[in-house]
Amino acid sequence: MSSESSEGGFMPSEEQMLALLSQIQDWQINHGSLLKNLESQTEHSVFSYPVGVSVYPTPFPKSQFRKAMDLQPVYNELYMAVAGDEEWLYNATKELIPTEPLADALWGIHEQSKEAESVQEISAAVFRSDYMLHMSGIQSSDSLAEHEATLKQVEFNTFSCAGAAHAKRVADMHRYMTRTGFYNFGDATEQQRPNAASLPRNDNIESLASLLATAHKAYGAPRSKGAEQTAILHIVQPYNFNIADERPIEYALWEREEPVHNYRLEWGEDILQYTTLTDTNELLFHPPWLAAHDPVEVSVVYMRAGYEAHEYDHTGWQARLRLEKSIAIKCPSILSHISTFKKVQQALTAPGALERFLAPDKAELIRNTFVQQYPLDQSVEGLRAQKIIRDDRISNHILKPSLEGGGNNVYDDIPEFLSSIPPAARSSYILMERIEPPLSRNLLVSRAGAPEGLVVSELGVYGTCLWKKTEALCNTCAGWSFKTKHADVDEMSVVKGYGCFDTPLLQ
Amino acid sequence: MSSESSEGGFMPSEEQMLALLSQIQDWQINHGSLLKNLESQTEHSVFSYPVGVSVYPTPFPKSQFRKAMDLQPVYNELYMAVAGDEEWLYNATKELIPTEPLADALWGIHEQSKEAESVQEISAAVFRSDYMLHMSGIQSSDSLAEHEATLKQVEFNTFSCAGAAHAKRVADMHRYMTRTGFYNFGDATEQQRPNAASLPRNDNIESLASLLATAHKAYGAPRSKGAEQTAILHIVQPYNFNIADERPIEYALWEREEPVHNYRLEWGEDILQYTTLTDTNELLFHPPWLAAHDPVEVSVVYMRAGYEAHEYDHTGWQARLRLEKSIAIKCPSILSHISTFKKVQQALTAPGALERFLAPDKAELIRNTFVQQYPLDQSVEGLRAQKIIRDDRISNHILKPSLEGGGNNVYDDIPEFLSSIPPAARSSYILMERIEPPLSRNLLVSRAGAPEGLVVSELGVYGTCLWKKTEALCNTCAGWSFKTKHADVDEMSVVKGYGCFDTPLLQ
C-alpha cells in the first residue's frame, strides 16, 4: 500500500458527494448505526444521530489483517493465563493501588469477594487487541518485505470491550455501498471503487452472542429453589447513549435457534435493588416488570459498565461486590478486568514475562507486536526510561496512564508533565514508543462535517474465551473493528467524535 | 372481543412502564423504526426519532383479519379492471377536473402521454385497502354471529401506498416484546400477556420487493443502445423525513439472491436533469455519481411521490409526463393512480358498478365491505344525500374530499361546511356513513408522550399486482399494516403524529 495517495482525483464532485452522504446517512438510520442524543431524552422519545463513519473503506494490508486474526487465540491464551496468576498480576499492578482509585477498588472488591464460600470456576471474557501499522522498527525475525508496515499493539482491552456491533454494521454499510456501485464514479481511484471481495465479512454480533450463549449453557440449570429459569444479565451504564452497540447482542441471543433469555440492568443502585444473593451465592434477578415471586437465576454477568473509577462510590462498590460474590459466570472475572491496566501490558514486555505464560514460539509471535515500553519506576527498565527522557530522545514516545481509552495520553512535553505530578503518581504511567502508522486519504463523516484529509487507522481484534481454572473451554477470534481518524488528531474514540468506524480495504 | 376492557388493572406501574418504554425505544433505534427530524438535517448528519407505536398489540378478531387478507386478490382484480376501463374511470372522476387540481393534472398528463408512440402494456401496482371494524349495520347475508363487529372499508389506496416497512418493523417489535416476556407482569391482563402465536407475521418488505423484482424481470433486457443494464427507479419526495418506510424496499432488492439494481430519484427537477427519453421512449437514468457515458435503462418506475396537487407545478408536470411517456413499467400507471380518488370508491357503490368488473359472487364479497356512500351531485344518489342532510340525519356521516389521507375530512357541521364552499366544489366530496369501531384500551407512545386511553384501530391490507392489458400476471395479498389512534382523534396519520403503528392481537 502506498503511504499517501496522490492529492488529485480523490475528492468526489459536490453532486457525487451529496449522493454518497445521502446513501450513507439513510443506511445508518435504517440499520441502527446510531448514537442517542441524551439531551433530548425523555421517557417516551429521544433523538439519535448517525455514528461517525468513513465515506470509503481505508486500505490495509491483507497479510497484516490475517496475521492479527490468527494471533488472537494466542493473545486469548496469554490473558486467560494472566488472569489465572493472581500473584504475578498483583505484582504487576500493585503500584497502581495507592494512586489509581479504580485499581484500588478492583483489588479491594476482589479481596472481599473471596469471603464468599462458593466460587465459580468458569470464567468468560471478550477481549479486544488494538493494533496500528508501524512503518519503522521492523524486526529481523519478521519475514516481511523491507519497508512493509507491520502490526504493533496499541493496547489490549479485557473489560467491556465496545464497538463490536457498530463495527459490524459499518462493515455491512461499506459492502452495501460497494455492491450498489455508489463508489463507481467515472474518475474514481482504486480505493473509491473497492471490490466487495476486498472487504472482510464481520460477524462480531453473532460471535459475542455465541460466547455468552456458550457460557450460559456451561452454567447449567438453576440451582436455587426460587428460580425456574436462568438468564444472562447485561450490566450497563445508566444514561447510555451507545445502546446501539449493546442491544444487538441481546437481540441476537433472543433470536438464536434456542433463544437465550437475557436482560439488562443498570450499574449501581438498580443492581442492589433488583438482585439478591441466595445463601449459596446464586445471583437472583427480580425484574421490575415481573411479580416479586418469580425471580430469574443469573447464569452469566456480562459487564458493560464499571470501567471508570467514579462508578465505584459506595453503591457501585457494593453492587460489583454482589456480582463478584455470586456464582454466576462473570464475563469477565475481576482478575481479567485488572489485567486491562496498561501496567500489565508493559509488564508483559519485560524479559521472560511472556514465557511465564506461553510456549516460546507463541511468546515470540506476541512479542513481535510489541513496541518498546517502560515503567516509570526504579527498576532497570524504569531507569532506562528516565535516561530517554534526560537525553531528550522522547519525541517518538507517548506517556500513558492506566486508564481506559486514549483520552488521557500525554503526547507532548512529557518531561514537563512528569514534573507537574507527584513523584508517587508517576509509577502509574508507562512510557511507550510511538507507533508511526502509514497515512491514507479519506473523508470522515460525522455530526462535525465530512472533511477530507490524511487519516490513520486502528485495527481491533476481538477474542472470546471461556475457561475453567487453567483449561480453555473456548478460545476464538471473534471478529474485528476498524477505526480511522484524521492524522492530526490524537484520540481515536468514535463515540466522543474523534474517530470513525471504517472497514479495511484489504490489499 | 370486548368493546372495552375494564378500567382496573390495565395501567402498568411506573417501574413496569419505564421498563417497557425503554425496551421499545431501544428496539426502534436499532431497527430503523424512525422518522427524520428535518429541522436538524445537514448534509452530513440528522436527528431521527422513533415513529409512534402502541405499547401493546391491540385485540382484533382473527376471522375478520383473515377475511381481509383473503379478500385482497379480489380487490386487486377489481382495481386492475378499473384502471383498464378508461371510459368508466373518466365518467367517475370527470367532475373533479374543474375543482381538484390533482385530478386535472393527472388526466392532462395522461392525455399528453398518449402522444408517445410506444406503449408499455404491462402495469404494476401496490394497493392498500383500509378497513375498520364496524359495530352496527351487520347485513343478513353475513354468517357472523350477531353483534360481532365486521370489516368495513375506510378507503382504497392505489398510489404511493406507505407504511409497509414501518408496519413490518413494529410487528417484529411486538413479537420481540412478547417473546422476551416484557409484557408478563404479575397482574397483566390477557392483552398485556399476548402469546406470540396470536401476532401475525409480516413480510411486507419482502412482498413489495418481490413485486418490483418480478416487474423488473418482465421488462426484460435493455432495449436502448446506450444502456448496458436495467434498474428500478424509485421516485421519492425531496426533504423526505420518512425514508425508513422507503429504503428497506431498496435494500431488500439489493439483497435478493439475484440482486436487482435500483436507485432513487427525487420528484421534480432531478427527474428532468438525470433522465432522458430515447427516440423509442426508453427511459434512461444518468446517475449523478456515474460518468455521463454510462446510463441505466429504467425497467420500473416505482412512485413514492406525486400524490399532492402542489407537486404538479410546471416542473413536476413535465417530470411526470416524461415518466408516463416512457416504456418503463409504471408502478402504478396513471390510470391506476386516478382510481385512488374517493369518487371512484363511491362510484363503485352504485348499483351494478361492481358487476361491470367482477363476477357476481366476487362483487358481493366486495360490497359487503362497503358502508353507504353518496355523491353530492344531482344524481338519484346525490339527491338522497341531500335529503339526509336536510332531515338532519347527518350525525353518523363523514364528508370526504378526493384527497390523500383523512386530514381533510369533515366530521362536524357538515351542512354549514357545504354552505361555505362554492356549489361547483361540492361534487368533489362524497358523503360516507361513519364507521363505528369497537373500542379497546392501549398506551400509544410517540414524541408527544405515552398516554393511555380508549383507542380504535385500522387494518390496511397490501395487494401487489402485475398485469398485461386484461391479463393478470401476478395478483397477491402482500401483507398488512395496523394503525391505532386514540378514539377521540379523527385522523389516523402516523407520520403526522396522530396514530401509531400497532400489531393486531388476533383473538
Side-chain angles (χ1 to χ4, degrees), chain A residues 251-423:
Chain A
Y251 303 142
L253 285 164
W254 284 109
E255 283 160 16
R256 290 175 76 81
E257 209 172 325
E258 287 182 50
V260 178
H261 289 218
N262 71 111
Y263 305 102
R264 57 199 276 128
L265 187 60
E266 288 182 359
W267 177 265
E269 186 55 40
D270 280 6
I271 296 175
L272 298 180
Q273 184 172 354
Y274 297 117
T275 70
T276 51
L277 281 179
T278 67
D279 292 344
T280 43
N281 291 318
E282 286 91 10
L283 182 64
L284 299 184
F285 173 48
H286 308 266
W289 64 92
L290 287 179
H293 60 270
D294 199 12
V296 173
E297 184 171 323
V298 178
S299 54
V300 181
V301 173
Y302 175 48
M303 302 295 295
R304 294 294 294 257
Y307 50 84
E308 291 173 311
H310 73 80
E311 295 177 271
Y312 292 87
D313 57 7
H314 179 71
T315 304
W317 180 297
Q318 292 306 320
R320 181 78 188 259
L321 180 60
R322 182 176 299 173
L323 302 178
E324 292 302 322
K325 274 186 167 174
S326 82
I327 58 166
I329 294 174
K330 268 70 76 183
C331 182
S333 73
I334 205 158
L335 292 178
S336 276
H337 186 172
I338 290 168
S339 68
T340 211
F341 288 116
K342 293 194 178 66
K343 284 294 281 183
V344 173
Q345 191 188 357
Q346 173 263 311
L348 288 171
T349 67
L354 287 174
E355 283 75 5
R356 183 180 175 97
F357 303 109
L358 293 174
D361 56 334
K362 291 181 175 175
E364 186 61 18
L365 290 172
I366 295 290
R367 189 173 291 112
N368 283 341
T369 66
F370 289 167
V371 292
Q372 206 67 57
Q373 291 169 59
Y374 309 91
L376 291 173
D377 58 18
Q378 298 306 312
S379 66
V380 176
E381 292 296 305
L383 297 175
R384 202 168 291 172
Q386 288 174 30
K387 185 158 162 41
I388 289 173
I389 297 171
R390 264 201 320 276
D391 295 356
D392 202 18
R393 289 182 286 119
I394 198 76
S395 64
N396 61 335
H397 288 75
I398 304 173
L399 197 65
K400 290 188 169 186
S402 268
L403 295 172
E404 184 70 17
N408 301 286
N409 294 347
V410 181
Y411 296 86
D412 301 312
D413 302 325
I414 290 172
E416 207 165 84
F417 174 83
L418 286 172
S419 314
S420 75
I421 60 172

Side-chain angles (χ1 to χ4, degrees), chain A residues 29 116 148 157 178 303 322 382 460 499:
Chain A
I29 291 171
E148 191 172 352
N157 305 281
T178 298
M303 302 295 295
R322 182 176 299 173

